[in-house]
Short mmCIF file of all heavy atoms in Angstrom, two decimals:
data_model
loop_
_atom_site.label_atom_id
_atom_site.label_comp_id
_atom_site.label_asym_id
_atom_site.label_seq_id
_atom_site.Cartn_x
_atom_site.Cartn_y
_atom_site.Cartn_z
N GLU A 214 98.34 86.25 75.94
CA GLU A 214 97.65 86.13 77.16
C GLU A 214 98.24 87.09 78.28
O GLU A 214 97.54 87.60 79.09
CB GLU A 214 97.62 84.70 77.74
CG GLU A 214 96.78 83.79 76.80
CD GLU A 214 96.86 82.34 77.30
OE1 GLU A 214 97.52 82.08 78.34
OE2 GLU A 214 96.18 81.44 76.73
N ARG A 215 99.58 87.19 78.24
CA ARG A 215 100.26 88.07 79.26
C ARG A 215 100.27 89.51 78.80
O ARG A 215 99.91 90.41 79.56
CB ARG A 215 101.71 87.56 79.50
CG ARG A 215 101.80 86.13 80.04
CD ARG A 215 103.23 85.76 80.21
NE ARG A 215 103.37 84.33 80.56
CZ ARG A 215 104.53 83.73 80.76
NH1 ARG A 215 105.69 84.41 80.57
NH2 ARG A 215 104.61 82.50 81.09
N HIS A 216 100.81 89.76 77.65
CA HIS A 216 100.92 91.17 77.15
C HIS A 216 100.34 91.22 75.72
O HIS A 216 101.03 91.12 74.69
CB HIS A 216 102.41 91.55 77.08
CG HIS A 216 103.16 91.33 78.36
ND1 HIS A 216 103.00 92.19 79.43
CD2 HIS A 216 104.06 90.39 78.70
CE1 HIS A 216 103.77 91.75 80.43
NE2 HIS A 216 104.36 90.68 80.05
N PRO A 217 99.03 91.29 75.61
CA PRO A 217 98.36 91.27 74.28
C PRO A 217 98.74 92.44 73.42
O PRO A 217 98.71 92.34 72.20
CB PRO A 217 96.86 91.18 74.61
CG PRO A 217 96.74 91.74 75.99
CD PRO A 217 98.00 91.37 76.69
N GLU A 218 99.04 93.59 74.05
CA GLU A 218 99.33 94.79 73.25
C GLU A 218 100.77 94.74 72.62
O GLU A 218 101.10 95.49 71.72
CB GLU A 218 99.14 96.05 74.07
CG GLU A 218 100.06 96.22 75.20
CD GLU A 218 99.47 95.59 76.47
OE1 GLU A 218 98.53 94.78 76.33
OE2 GLU A 218 99.99 95.90 77.56
N TYR A 219 101.66 93.82 73.11
CA TYR A 219 103.05 93.75 72.62
C TYR A 219 103.30 92.47 71.91
O TYR A 219 104.51 92.14 71.68
CB TYR A 219 103.98 93.98 73.78
CG TYR A 219 103.85 95.27 74.47
CD1 TYR A 219 103.27 95.31 75.77
CD2 TYR A 219 104.22 96.49 73.91
CE1 TYR A 219 103.09 96.53 76.44
CE2 TYR A 219 104.02 97.70 74.57
CZ TYR A 219 103.46 97.73 75.83
OH TYR A 219 103.31 98.94 76.47
N VAL A 220 102.34 91.65 71.65
CA VAL A 220 102.58 90.36 71.03
C VAL A 220 102.89 90.56 69.54
O VAL A 220 102.21 91.37 68.86
CB VAL A 220 101.34 89.44 71.20
CG1 VAL A 220 100.08 90.05 70.58
CG2 VAL A 220 101.62 88.05 70.60
N PRO A 221 103.94 89.90 69.01
CA PRO A 221 104.20 90.05 67.53
C PRO A 221 103.17 89.23 66.71
O PRO A 221 102.48 88.37 67.23
CB PRO A 221 105.63 89.48 67.39
CG PRO A 221 105.77 88.58 68.57
CD PRO A 221 104.93 89.16 69.69
N SER A 222 103.17 89.54 65.46
CA SER A 222 102.24 88.85 64.57
C SER A 222 102.72 87.47 64.26
O SER A 222 103.91 87.21 64.14
CB SER A 222 102.06 89.63 63.27
OG SER A 222 101.56 90.93 63.48
N LEU A 223 101.75 86.50 64.14
CA LEU A 223 102.11 85.15 63.83
C LEU A 223 102.51 85.08 62.34
O LEU A 223 101.71 85.43 61.48
CB LEU A 223 100.93 84.22 64.13
CG LEU A 223 101.13 82.72 63.88
CD1 LEU A 223 102.20 82.21 64.77
CD2 LEU A 223 99.85 81.97 64.09
N PRO A 224 103.71 84.65 62.05
CA PRO A 224 104.16 84.63 60.62
C PRO A 224 103.49 83.51 59.90
O PRO A 224 103.72 82.33 60.11
CB PRO A 224 105.68 84.44 60.73
CG PRO A 224 105.87 83.71 62.07
CD PRO A 224 104.77 84.22 62.97
N VAL A 225 102.60 83.85 58.92
CA VAL A 225 101.97 82.93 58.02
C VAL A 225 101.64 83.61 56.73
O VAL A 225 101.12 84.76 56.72
CB VAL A 225 100.69 82.37 58.73
CG1 VAL A 225 99.77 83.45 59.18
CG2 VAL A 225 99.97 81.37 57.83
N PRO A 226 101.88 83.04 55.60
CA PRO A 226 101.59 83.64 54.29
C PRO A 226 100.09 83.51 54.02
O PRO A 226 99.44 82.56 54.39
CB PRO A 226 102.41 82.86 53.32
CG PRO A 226 102.63 81.49 53.96
CD PRO A 226 102.72 81.77 55.42
N LEU A 227 99.59 84.51 53.38
CA LEU A 227 98.14 84.52 53.02
C LEU A 227 97.88 83.66 51.77
O LEU A 227 98.84 83.25 51.07
CB LEU A 227 97.70 85.97 52.75
CG LEU A 227 97.85 86.97 53.88
CD1 LEU A 227 97.36 88.32 53.45
CD2 LEU A 227 97.09 86.51 55.08
N THR A 228 96.62 83.33 51.60
CA THR A 228 96.29 82.45 50.45
C THR A 228 96.66 83.07 49.11
O THR A 228 97.09 82.45 48.21
CB THR A 228 94.76 82.16 50.51
OG1 THR A 228 94.43 81.66 51.80
CG2 THR A 228 94.44 81.08 49.47
N GLU A 229 96.42 84.47 48.98
CA GLU A 229 96.71 85.13 47.73
C GLU A 229 98.23 85.10 47.48
O GLU A 229 98.67 84.95 46.28
CB GLU A 229 96.25 86.56 47.81
CG GLU A 229 94.71 86.72 47.85
CD GLU A 229 94.19 86.51 49.28
OE1 GLU A 229 94.97 86.32 50.15
OE2 GLU A 229 92.92 86.49 49.44
N GLU A 230 99.04 85.19 48.50
CA GLU A 230 100.47 85.17 48.28
C GLU A 230 100.97 83.78 47.84
O GLU A 230 101.88 83.67 47.04
CB GLU A 230 101.19 85.57 49.61
CG GLU A 230 100.89 86.98 49.99
CD GLU A 230 101.55 87.33 51.36
OE1 GLU A 230 102.11 86.41 51.96
OE2 GLU A 230 101.46 88.49 51.72
N LEU A 231 100.31 82.70 48.36
CA LEU A 231 100.66 81.40 47.88
C LEU A 231 100.22 81.14 46.46
O LEU A 231 100.86 80.46 45.72
CB LEU A 231 100.03 80.33 48.81
CG LEU A 231 100.58 80.32 50.25
CD1 LEU A 231 99.86 79.29 51.11
CD2 LEU A 231 102.09 80.03 50.25
N GLU A 232 99.06 81.72 46.14
CA GLU A 232 98.56 81.55 44.75
C GLU A 232 99.42 82.28 43.70
O GLU A 232 99.60 81.83 42.59
CB GLU A 232 97.12 82.01 44.63
CG GLU A 232 96.14 81.11 45.41
CD GLU A 232 94.75 81.68 45.34
OE1 GLU A 232 94.56 82.81 44.85
OE2 GLU A 232 93.82 81.00 45.87
N CYS A 233 99.95 83.45 44.15
CA CYS A 233 100.87 84.21 43.25
C CYS A 233 102.27 83.61 43.07
O CYS A 233 103.06 84.09 42.22
CB CYS A 233 100.93 85.64 43.76
SG CYS A 233 99.44 86.57 43.71
#
Side-chain angles (χ1 to χ4, degrees):
E214 292 178 359
R215 298 180 186 178
H216 309 285
E218 62 271 16
Y219 301 107
V220 59
S222 300
L223 183 63
V225 54
L227 300 178
T228 307
E229 294 79 4
E230 296 176 354
L231 294 177
E232 292 176 354
C233 294

